[in-house]
Amino acid sequence: MPKYPLLPPYAVLSGAIGKADALAARLQRGIEKLKPSAPLKKRLNALLGFTRHMNHLTLADVQARKVALQTLFAVVEEHVAALVPDGANVYHVTLVDDIGLTTDRKPIIRWTAFRRKVDKAIRALGLSGIAFLEIQPLTNYPAGGKGRTLMLNAHVLAWGGFTRRKLREAKRKLNQSRSWRNSFGAEPVNIRRLKRGVDEMLLIACYISKLPFGAKYRVPHPRKPGQYRFKPTLKGFTDTLALRLIEGLSQISLFDAVFCIGEAKSLRKIWKSRLVEWQRQRSEVGKRPLPDFDVAALWEEIREANDDVLYKPFVIR
């Protein structure tokens, strides 16, 4: 798990917004390469929140994701200090499991099952927190000739009253259990204690809600022989791969990606209510949302127009 630079929280937030804009530019470039018909392009742009938008918020709506990022930052800044008991330790928890592995050629995303596992694990660790699920491509781990690997994982900004010794023991039990497995040689459940108070919590709020600009790279762990960790990379993160990732995210509600455990439940309520209000104003002040359409059918139509028989539709469970 990376150690975060000593940057002011608002500088990190600005950087995250910049990466969102870079992703938007890459997606727009990818759309132009597809050469879609005018009706297809109109629906694609709405799906990604570029020129129009949809009635419902998905993980593919770049504008909504930027607002969600800024909103989570604000909610953590305003409310989390009051929720974390005095003396409680604060952590960044990362969870990844083989149940979340698939390929970009025939992607099956076991979203609901993985979400249940994350919820159960955080409770077993004696923690409260706000969790964000994401899908990331892994560019240097071949998927047996079946395409690039896609990896479902979770990041949690968490806190709790367990002693550090008791937390380490709970983590050890999870990592040694049959419930959590990682084929990459990395720890399925990883925990890093935050030591810089609210400022560092804000950095994690940015990190967990960031847009997927880039991929992951599997490298040997420098301090744990025989184990591996994941580092961010742009190598291999092509316009085509970015669009493929967005195809999956366009079929997942933004609100399904975020959930809270224990004492953190009020944070999600505040975050969601602000996003709902933003979406209402977006529809009233700007262009009206596009009428609903079958998102999966849209991507299938794009593949047919490009004679693409390699990539199959996403299955989200």
Side-chain angles (χ1 to χ4, degrees), residues 97-102 108-110 114 135 150-153:
D97 184 79
D98 284 352
I99 196 176
L101 298 182
T102 188
I108 300 174
I109 307 297
R110 297 174 175 85
F114 183 67
I135 305 170
L150 298 181
M151 181 172 63
L152 182 59
N153 57 58

Side-chain angles (χ1 to χ4, degrees), residues 19-135:
K19 289 183 178 180
D21 292 336
L23 175 65
R26 180 160 295 199
L27 293 170
Q28 288 171 329
R29 197 164 60 233
I31 290 173
E32 292 304 319
K33 290 178 182 178
L34 292 174
K35 299 180 180 179
S37 64
L40 283 178
K41 188 173 182 179
K42 182 179 180 180
R43 282 180 283 164
L44 265 178
N45 281 325
L47 197 58
L48 303 182
F50 290 158
T51 55
R52 297 280 293 273
H53 60 281
M54 307 293 294
N55 279 305
H56 53 282
L57 298 178
T58 75
L59 289 171
D61 186 329
V62 176
Q63 296 305 316
R65 290 291 302 270
K66 288 166 63 175
V67 174
L69 165 64
Q70 294 168 300
T71 302
L72 184 62
F73 184 97
V75 169
V76 169
E77 185 176 40
E78 295 167 14
H79 298 280
V80 79
L83 290 175
V84 179
D86 290 340
N89 289 314
V90 182
Y91 305 95
H92 174 197
V93 185
T94 300
L95 306 99
V96 60
D97 184 79
D98 284 352
I99 196 176
L101 298 182
T102 188
T103 76
D104 66 339
R105 292 189 186 176
K106 192 177 180 181
I108 300 174
I109 307 297
R110 297 174 175 85
W111 189 271
T112 302
F114 183 67
R115 177 171 163 156
R116 282 198 299 261
K117 290 191 72 167
V118 171
D119 182 280
K120 187 176 180 180
I122 296 300
R123 294 179 189 278
L125 293 168
L127 300 174
S128 295
I130 182 164
F132 211 117
L133 271 59
E134 64 177 357
I135 305 170

Side-chain angles (χ1 to χ4, degrees), residues 42 54 57 68 88 99 104 111 119 121 137-138 152-153 161 165 183-185 206 225 238 241 243 265 276 290 302 305:
K42 182 179 180 180
M54 307 293 294
L57 298 178
I99 196 176
D104 66 339
W111 189 271
D119 182 280
L138 190 62
L152 182 59
N153 57 58
R165 180 177 179 179
S183 298
F184 304 128
C206 287
T238 63
L241 180 56
L243 269 177
K265 289 183 178 180
V276 169
L290 216 61
I302 291 170

Side-chain angles (χ1 to χ4, degrees), residues 45-289:
N45 281 325
L47 197 58
L48 303 182
F50 290 158
T51 55
R52 297 280 293 273
H53 60 281
M54 307 293 294
N55 279 305
H56 53 282
L57 298 178
T58 75
L59 289 171
D61 186 329
V62 176
Q63 296 305 316
R65 290 291 302 270
K66 288 166 63 175
V67 174
L69 165 64
Q70 294 168 300
T71 302
L72 184 62
F73 184 97
V75 169
V76 169
E77 185 176 40
E78 295 167 14
H79 298 280
V80 79
L83 290 175
V84 179
D86 290 340
N89 289 314
V90 182
Y91 305 95
H92 174 197
V93 185
T94 300
L95 306 99
V96 60
D97 184 79
D98 284 352
I99 196 176
L101 298 182
T102 188
T103 76
D104 66 339
R105 292 189 186 176
K106 192 177 180 181
I108 300 174
I109 307 297
R110 297 174 175 85
W111 189 271
T112 302
F114 183 67
R115 177 171 163 156
R116 282 198 299 261
K117 290 191 72 167
V118 171
D119 182 280
K120 187 176 180 180
I122 296 300
R123 294 179 189 278
L125 293 168
L127 300 174
S128 295
I130 182 164
F132 211 117
L133 271 59
E134 64 177 357
I135 305 170
Q136 289 188 314
L138 190 62
T139 57
N140 71 328
Y141 193 86
K146 298 178 181 178
R148 296 180 182 90
T149 297
L150 298 181
M151 181 172 63
L152 182 59
N153 57 58
H155 294 280
V156 188
L157 173 60
W159 60 88
F162 273 14
T163 63
R164 292 170 63 187
R165 180 177 179 179
K166 189 174 181 180
L167 182 66
R168 284 195 300 268
E169 177 62 20
K171 173 192 164 187
R172 184 190 64 79
K173 287 182 178 179
L174 285 174
N175 282 331
Q176 292 181 358
S177 72
R178 291 182 294 177
S179 297
W180 286 89
R181 289 287 182 268
N182 189 310
S183 298
F184 304 128
E187 285 188 323
V189 181
N190 201 347
I191 303 173
R192 187 175 75 87
R193 187 164 69 96
L194 307 184
K195 303 176 182 178
R196 288 182 267 141
V198 174
D199 276 5
E200 194 168 13
M201 296 176 78
L202 291 172
L203 301 187
I204 301 304
C206 287
Y207 185 79
I208 69 177
S209 55
K210 67 187 183 302
L211 280 82
F213 180 63
K216 289 296 185 181
Y217 202 76
R218 178 179 178 256
V219 298
H221 199 292
R223 296 180 301 277
K224 299 178 181 179
Q227 292 190 21
Y228 292 81
R229 62 175 180 170
F230 305 110
K231 296 185 69 174
T233 183
L234 287 175
K235 184 178 180 180
F237 188 67
T238 63
D239 300 344
T240 300
L241 180 56
L243 269 177
R244 184 62 169 154
L245 182 61
I246 286 295
E247 176 183 344
L249 297 180
S250 69
Q251 298 172 64
I252 302 172
S253 167
L254 174 56
F255 299 130
D256 284 345
V258 180
F259 63 98
C260 290
I261 304 98
E263 299 300 323
K265 289 183 178 180
S266 61
L267 295 180
R268 185 183 182 279
K269 291 180 181 179
I270 299 168
W271 171 82
K272 182 178 180 180
S273 67
R274 293 184 185 182
L275 278 178
V276 169
E277 175 60 20
W278 171 80
Q279 174 76 338
R280 185 188 67 78
Q281 293 183 11
R282 178 194 203 186
S283 300
E284 290 182 356
V285 176
K287 293 183 178 180
R288 291 184 178 182

